[in-house]
Amino acid sequence: GSCRQRCCPGRNNACWAPGARRARCYCDSYCQRTGDCCQDYLAMCRRAAVGCAVGPWGPWSGCSSPCGVGSRARSRQVTVPPRHGGDPCPDLKQRRGCLGQHPACGTAK
């Protein structure tokens, strides 16, 4: 079977070609895990693979709690989405703890 003009990302049971002895061979990126890729999968599909690319991290947000324990967050954007079974995107959000210390915190009764 041939993957010519038929490369699919992820696991896609509809992405197959007729193989040897009436068996199906697959052209989705999951076929590498299951070992049932068409013979030309690497040459036809992995060459076309584009891995995810992301931009820089944005700034940390302010603490979610003005007084006491809270959290800060930051994010980044996808600049190039993955295609044809390329590497998936890394985390786009991060969170960390913080301690809010607004000047009014100590005066509340």
Side-chain angles (χ1 to χ4, degrees):
S2 176
C3 290
R4 194 174 310 277
Q5 306 294 320
R6 186 161 182 96
C7 297
C8 307
R11 187 175 195 166
N12 185 342
N13 289 336
C15 192
W16 61 274
R21 294 186 292 280
R22 296 187 186 183
R24 290 180 177 182
C25 62
Y26 290 85
C27 300
D28 59 356
S29 58
Y30 198 76
C31 74
Q32 291 188 289
R33 288 188 185 174
T34 54
D36 55 2
C37 297
C38 292
Q39 287 182 338
D40 63 353
Y41 172 77
L42 288 176
M44 298 304 295
C45 300
R46 291 305 291 176
R47 185 184 315 149
V50 175
C52 182
V54 294
W57 287 107
W60 287 101
S61 68
C63 193
S64 64
S65 174
C67 301
V69 177
S71 64
R72 295 178 182 266
R74 70 178 182 171
S75 63
R76 58 185 172 181
Q77 302 294 317
V78 173
T79 56
V80 178
R83 290 191 298 273
H84 308 297
D87 292 333
C89 294
D91 288 339
L92 300 176
K93 294 185 179 185
Q94 285 184 335
R95 189 171 295 280
R96 71 178 182 191
C98 60
L99 187 60
Q101 297 178 331
H102 190 273
C105 292
T107 61
K109 298 208 188 291

